[in-house]
Amino acid sequence: MSLALAPLDVTVEIEANLPCRKFDPDLWFSDAPAQLELAKSLCGDCPLRVECLAGAVERSEPWGVWGGEIFERGAVVPRKRPRGRPRKADVARDAELAVEVEERLAANGLETRNSVRLAA
């Protein structure tokens, strides 16, 4: 009697370790800025982060966290703003974060000027 061994399906093993598969999917599409920041942090160690981000940029994802970045209306935003008028300090911090987002996109091989639109 011989036992035939099925080949190991590596994609199932990888998917089981993806943060977006382990945690509540609604976390990546939340309206709360704090929850979106948590989702971004969970993406940090994901083995598919770069591919996820590149696919989201290519598709112009309308919203959610993809590859560790927040998308809103098809653009990468440094952070989700809460409702209401922003404080002056928040506007200044947003300008700094926009530069940081551009650097992260460039580090992942995505040209910010041509392939993705950054929301102001």
Side-chain angles (χ1 to χ4, degrees):
M1 180 168 126
S2 68
L3 295 174
L5 297 176
L8 178 64
D9 188 355
V10 179
T11 58
V12 172
E13 186 177 318
I14 289 174
E15 282 188 18
N17 291 323
L18 299 178
C20 56
R21 302 283 195 243
K22 284 186 192 178
F23 298 94
D24 182 10
D26 290 340
L27 181 64
W28 277 260
F29 299 97
S30 175
D31 284 331
Q35 289 184 339
L36 292 177
E37 291 301 321
L38 174 60
K40 279 176 53 174
S41 69
L42 292 172
C43 291
D45 295 329
C46 180
L48 299 178
R49 184 178 56 80
V50 174
E51 293 86 353
C52 178
L53 178 59
V57 167
E58 185 178 306
R59 292 185 306 271
S60 296
E61 281 294 336
W63 63 297
V65 174
W66 297 90
E69 299 294 341
I70 299 173
F71 282 75
E72 190 170 295
R73 296 185 196 111
V76 175
V77 295
R79 71 179 182 90
K80 171 110 173 147
R81 290 184 183 158
R83 295 180 123 177
R85 187 176 197 172
R87 297 183 176 138
K88 289 181 182 181
D90 290 341
V91 172
R93 185 176 57 188
D94 283 349
E96 291 174 12
L97 289 173
V99 171
E100 183 181 324
V101 166
E102 281 194 42
E103 290 171 357
R104 284 196 312 258
L105 288 171
N108 287 315
L110 299 171
E111 295 192 26
T112 57
R113 301 276 186 238
N114 299 331
S115 63
V116 76
R117 177 176 56 94
L118 290 175

